Amino acid sequence: MRHLLILFCALFLLSSCETEIEDFETQNLSSAIVVYGEISTIDGPYNVRLNYVSGYSPYDITQFSGQPITNANVRIIDGNGKETAYYEKSEGYYLSPAGFKGVVGQKYKLRIRLQDGKIIESAYSTINPAPELAEFSYTFKDAAKVENMRFPLKASIKDTKDVENYYFIKRQDFRQFLLTCPTPPPPPAPVPACNCLCWQAPQNTQPYLVDDFLRNGKDLSLDLGQLPYEDFTEWVVQLDAYSVSKEAYTYWKRLEDQRKLSGGIFDKVPAQIIGNLKCTSDPSQEVLGFFMVGGLTQKRLNVDRFNGIPVEAYQKLLFYVDFNNIRRKDIPLWNCKDAAFIKYNLGYSLPPL
């Protein structure tokens, strides 16, 4: 009986300490502005994206990444004071005029004037010479099973000696896929054209970051991994290699370091990473993002997964493709553009380089 009285008293004390919170409401009060743009040594147009962190709508896919900032005055200013105005192609998406191109040795900055009068500027940054790819190739690695057959990729940057260099490399893969043409209609109906050779471009958002510390003047290798041998369609790997400033390298390195945090007690404390942009008219206005300036080299590698393959390996692949229905023979289509179930479907051709 004594134990029961103690239990009831404890429950009473606990319940009397509860406080009910009513009308609890959360809001996203961040008014930070996000800016991203770049200029390089290849032909434009170049783009600048503007949006607010807050104000996005989960019910409107066009505003998923934040409310776009419209009707802004966006300009690039070079070291001689020459200004180049951008135009707004779509909400929050601004493009440079045709013919505008960065020049090696020239410095540039981005200036944005918003409708409310706020001015956002980047620091000046000079365009370095475009880097040179010393190697960009592939080989075929055979195996007992098709699942283990691979195409190892090799790539390296030819570093300039006696100069402190920093490189930022984007990678975009373009993968060919094939559908199956349906059975032609009976005569005399004409046979429709059937082009089932299509391309897709899976998203890849993680860059490669390389510097020449302790490797000055040597070829700097890139770890591109291996491609699978699961079909005999083509696979194209595109590298966009930028020679950037130490500031740009450090910014992207910090983003990558924070992305890779594992939650361990020795990890760095996550923090907001500030780029090279600020609001000069209102220091309290938070500005995120980066305006990147750098020499750019673009190159594509066509990995031919048909020619030059050992006969025995190719025979194994034929069986593998048929057994796993890789060719999607259960979904015949006359037009590969109708294959909406394929993610990032580009259609018949690759974008121009």
Side-chain angles (χ1 to χ4, degrees):
M1 185 67 180
R2 182 182 176 186
H3 293 300
L4 288 174
L5 287 174
I6 294 174
L7 177 62
F8 284 134
C9 289
L11 291 173
F12 175 77
L13 289 173
L14 288 173
S15 63
S16 64
C17 292
E18 290 181 359
T19 302
E20 185 176 354
I21 301 176
E22 297 180 351
D23 300 326
F24 182 75
E25 184 176 345
T26 60
Q27 288 182 322
N28 180 4
L29 299 178
S30 174
S31 61
I33 295 172
V34 180
V35 182
Y36 181 77
E38 64 180 54
I39 180 174
S40 68
T41 50
I42 67 168
D43 294 331
Y46 309 115
N47 68 76
V48 170
R49 296 178 182 272
L50 300 177
N51 65 271
Y52 291 106
V53 171
S54 62
Y56 70 86
S57 169
Y59 307 104
D60 183 356
I61 193 170
T62 63
Q63 294 190 32
F64 181 76
S65 61
Q67 180 184 352
I69 300 176
T70 60
N71 301 314
N73 185 303
V74 178
R75 294 174 180 268
I76 297 292
I77 305 172
D78 67 18
N80 300 321
K82 182 180 178 181
E83 300 186 7
T84 301
Y86 282 42
Y87 67 95
E88 188 171 9
K89 184 177 181 181
S90 58
E91 289 190 346
Y93 184 70
Y94 300 81
L95 285 181
S96 63
F100 178 60
K101 181 179 178 180
V103 178
V104 174
Q106 180 62 275
K107 61 181 181 179
Y108 298 90
K109 73 174 180 178
L110 175 66
R111 177 183 291 166
I112 301 168
R113 181 186 292 273
L114 306 182
Q115 272 194 308
D116 60 5
K118 290 182 179 178
I119 297 176
I120 297 171
E121 286 192 2
S122 72
Y124 271 114
S125 186
T126 302
I127 291 190
N128 299 324
E132 179 184 346
L133 288 177
E135 182 182 18
F136 194 18
S137 62
Y138 71 94
T139 55
F140 175 68
K141 183 180 180 181
D142 205 350
K145 295 182 178 181
V146 173
E147 294 91 327
N148 298 327
M149 295 178 184
R150 292 290 185 268
F151 290 91
L153 302 176
K154 291 184 179 180
S156 61
I157 293 176
K158 188 176 182 60
D159 185 59
T160 305
K161 194 174 182 180
D162 298 329
V163 179
E164 191 177 66
N165 293 306
Y166 300 90
Y167 304 100
F168 172 92
I169 299 96
K170 297 179 186 178
R171 171 178 173 174
Q172 177 60 64
D173 286 32
F174 300 101
R175 183 177 177 182
Q176 201 177 62
F177 65 93
L178 301 176
L179 300 175
T180 303
C181 292
T183 303
V191 178
C194 182
N195 187 350
C196 294
L197 186 62
C198 310
W199 290 92
Q200 63 179 148
Q203 285 188 331
N204 180 32
T205 57
Q206 276 71 54
Y208 300 91
L209 298 168
V210 182
D211 67 87
D212 61 354
F213 180 66
L214 299 180
R215 296 177 293 173
N216 190 4
K218 298 181 180 180
D219 292 348
L220 309 177
S221 61
L222 305 176
D223 183 12
L224 302 183
Q226 305 176 86
L227 301 184
Y229 185 45
E230 58 189 19
D231 201 351
F232 35 79
T233 52
E234 295 182 21
W235 193 312
V236 174
V237 180
Q238 177 176 318
L239 294 181
D240 292 1
Y242 296 78
S243 179
V244 297
S245 65
K246 182 178 181 180
E247 181 185 21
Y249 174 88
T250 303
Y251 171 80
W252 291 107
K253 186 71 167 60
R254 287 174 177 170
L255 286 179
E256 281 297 284
D257 289 344
Q258 190 153 295
R259 182 184 67 84
K260 295 176 181 178
L261 293 179
S262 61
I265 61 174
F266 299 108
D267 280 345
K268 297 177 182 178
V269 178
Q272 188 65 266
I273 299 173
I274 306 300
N276 63 347
L277 297 133
K278 62 181 179 179
C279 184
T280 57
S281 60
D282 181 6
S284 65
Q285 172 64 62
E286 188 177 14
V287 182
L288 307 176
F290 204 86
F291 176 60
M292 192 162 71
V293 176
L296 170 60
T297 295
Q298 289 183 311
K299 195 169 183 179
R300 285 177 178 172
L301 175 67
N302 186 353
V303 180
D304 190 337
R305 299 190 292 171
F306 178 76
N307 294 305
I309 306 301
V311 175
E312 185 179 354
Y314 180 70
Q315 293 299 325
K316 291 179 181 179
L317 176 66
L318 289 177
F319 176 80
Y320 178 87
V321 168
D322 184 65
F323 183 79
N324 292 281
N325 197 19
I326 299 296
R327 306 300 290 278
R328 306 187 187 277
K329 60 187 177 184
D330 296 335
I331 312 176
L333 292 172
W334 290 110
N335 190 330
C336 77
K337 293 183 179 180
D338 296 332
F341 54 89
I342 300 292
K343 291 184 178 180
Y344 314 112
N345 188 347
L346 296 179
Y348 293 121
S349 60
L350 300 182
L353 185 62

